[in-house]
Amino acid sequence: MTEQPNPDLTAFIAGLPKAELHVHHVGSASPRIVSELAERHPGSVPSDPDALREFFAFRDFAHFIEVYLSVVDLIRTPEDVELLTYEVAREMATGQNVKYAELTCTPYTSVIRGIPIEAYTEAIEEARRRAQLDFGLVLRWIYDIPGESGIPAADATLSYALEHRTESLVGFGLGGPEVGVPRPQFKSHFDAARAAGLHSVPHAGETTGPETIWDAVRVLGAERIGHGTTAAQDPDLLAHLADHGIPLEVCPSSNIATRAVETLDVHPIRAFRDAGVTITVNSDDPPMFGTTLNREYEIAADLLELDAGGVAALARAAVDASYAPDIVKAELGAEIEQYATAQRA
Ligand SMILES: [Zn+2]
């Protein structure tokens, strides 16, 4: 970043109603939430807020994994799952003015730690209903395969999605490391999920080249791509994404934290825009990468040199690329429009 954010645009972004499409359940646990979980389960993680904030401060990718796994280990009961989900929803709605979110959940990591999928599903659903009533936030789920756990995790995640399905489950994803985890091995899982009406939204091209994104599109039937950062290296791929209306879920600070991109100045978001690819702006694992969704919009606005109207169009693109119910899309689209118009007046 070469310039300070424009204060007017910062305020505009803070008040802008938003949809978020790429944000992880456990990765959204803030120090405040983790402190509550650590009080329930003393030992491994400090429950003192100051010590926790220090533990959370992003140092490098290895430390991020350590923080992430320590939070996974604090989620031991269905009550923990419900607390995490509800409190994440509170922070999205009250801190970032998010009105609709597709939260990527990894039920496999909780089930192998002893929470039955029935109880897990009930817990996130209860949190979803309460969050909608209390904060007006509409939540939907994407279940993702933790790629590093291979085919057994994929089999299990597919069975949770199909045999324990709720109406709020909209997508099927694939996360974890990309290196050494070829996308095509999960073809049958994505085929089955898509046949059941779930949307295909794998991560691809974050830390591997454009061929992984081609695999995601051609083999896994990807309808949106998580990150897709290296698409910028392949003009044919960019043209394909643009022609087929396959949006990218862009998470700038995450890309810097994981070193997928060296600096923000060289982030390929401009190349995506220039190629006509739909860009959505997202936060990925915000507290763990020291960011917020508002901050990610500020970064995108800076890189793309957007004014308020351009930022509102970005917010609108996320609504259009979402799998929200039609009524939610229409209402949120209108809300964004009204907000932008009122700010112009
Ligand atoms: Zn992600």
Side-chain angles (χ1 to χ4, degrees), residues 22-24 104 144 174-176 203 206 226-227 249 251 254 283-285 289:
H22 188 129
V23 60
H24 295 266
T104 293
D144 81 335
L174 169 58
H203 287 57
E206 181 186 12
H227 298 288
E249 300 158 3
C251 315
S254 162
S283 66
D284 210 5
D285 302 291
F289 291 143

Side-chain angles (χ1 to χ4, degrees), residues 258-275:
T258 61
R259 300 207 176 137
V261 175
E262 209 166 317
T263 62
L264 284 174
D265 290 333
V266 297
H267 196 283
I269 192 167
R270 292 185 203 90
F272 302 154
R273 187 254 332 259
D274 293 347

Side-chain angles (χ1 to χ4, degrees), residues 213-267:
I213 305 170
W214 280 118
D215 281 344
V217 170
R218 289 180 171 151
V219 185
L220 305 184
E223 295 160 76
R224 285 195 322 239
I225 304 284
H227 298 288
T229 315
T230 57
Q233 298 168 12
D234 183 342
D236 291 342
L237 177 56
L238 287 177
H240 184 93
L241 297 174
D243 291 347
H244 291 79
I246 301 173
L248 298 180
E249 300 158 3
V250 179
C251 315
S253 293
S254 162
N255 294 154
I256 302 303
T258 61
R259 300 207 176 137
V261 175
E262 209 166 317
T263 62
L264 284 174
D265 290 333
V266 297
H267 196 283

Side-chain angles (χ1 to χ4, degrees), residues 12-21 96-101 278-282 293-294 296-298 300-301 304 306-322 324 328-340:
F12 179 83
I13 287 168
L16 179 67
K18 289 179 256 348
E20 177 150 47
L21 308 181
Q96 309 301 311
N97 209 19
V98 173
K99 302 289 184 181
Y100 171 83
T278 298
I279 296 165
T280 68
V281 174
N282 304 276
L293 183 59
N294 287 342
E296 298 306 288
Y297 267 80
E298 288 168 22
L304 297 171
L306 300 177
D307 59 9
V311 171
L314 265 188
R316 184 55 204 249
V319 175
D320 292 342
S322 78
V328 173
K329 279 190 178 187
E331 284 174 2
L332 183 48
E335 211 181 323
I336 291 169
E337 187 62 48
Q338 271 166 19
Y339 175 80

Side-chain angles (χ1 to χ4, degrees), residues 156-175:
T157 304
L158 181 66
S159 82
Y160 309 148
L162 300 189
E163 291 157 33
H164 303 274
R165 185 166 179 177
T166 68
E167 270 188 36
S168 328
L169 180 67
V170 295
F172 197 70
L174 169 58

Side-chain angles (χ1 to χ4, degrees), residues 33-235:
I33 299 171
V34 175
S35 157
E36 271 195 55
L37 291 168
E39 268 176 28
R40 289 182 177 190
H41 309 294
S44 57
V45 172
S47 59
D48 171 66
D50 287 338
L52 247 181
R53 249 186 300 277
E54 200 175 308
F55 176 61
F56 254 71
F58 183 83
R59 286 173 222 161
D60 53 33
F61 192 66
H63 180 69
F64 157 69
I65 296 291
E66 187 192 333
V67 172
Y68 187 93
L69 291 177
S70 68
V71 178
V72 168
D73 277 330
L74 284 176
I75 301 162
R76 298 181 194 173
T77 69
E79 292 74 24
D80 298 336
V81 173
E82 188 178 337
L83 174 113
L84 170 69
T85 315
Y86 180 79
E87 293 301 327
V88 163
R90 179 203 301 278
E91 290 181 1
M92 282 181 170
T94 60
Q96 309 301 311
N97 209 19
V98 173
K99 302 289 184 181
Y100 171 83
E102 289 169 11
L103 196 57
T104 293
C105 299
T106 314
Y108 181 74
T109 54
S110 290
V111 174
I112 58 168
R113 283 173 175 77
I115 302 178
I117 187 60
E118 293 81 358
Y120 180 93
T121 311
E122 222 174 273
I124 58 172
E125 279 292 297
E126 184 56 26
R128 181 185 66 76
R129 284 188 288 268
R130 286 172 52 217
Q132 188 159 347
L133 280 175
D134 296 350
F135 314 126
L137 170 68
V138 177
L139 278 178
R140 290 294 182 268
W141 318 119
I142 291 166
Y143 284 178
D144 81 335
I145 301 169
E148 70 279 14
S149 303
I151 298 298
D155 291 344
T157 304
L158 181 66
S159 82
Y160 309 148
L162 300 189
E163 291 157 33
H164 303 274
R165 185 166 179 177
T166 68
E167 270 188 36
S168 328
L169 180 67
V170 295
F172 197 70
L174 169 58
E178 290 177 18
V179 176
V181 186
R183 314 282 97 172
Q185 64 182 309
F186 303 113
K187 179 182 189 310
S188 66
H189 302 91
F190 277 81
D191 283 349
R194 289 161 62 210
L198 295 174
H199 296 281
S200 170
V201 287
H203 287 57
E206 181 186 12
T207 53
T208 58
E211 67 285 352
T212 310
I213 305 170
W214 280 118
D215 281 344
V217 170
R218 289 180 171 151
V219 185
L220 305 184
E223 295 160 76
R224 285 195 322 239
I225 304 284
H227 298 288
T229 315
T230 57
Q233 298 168 12
D234 183 342

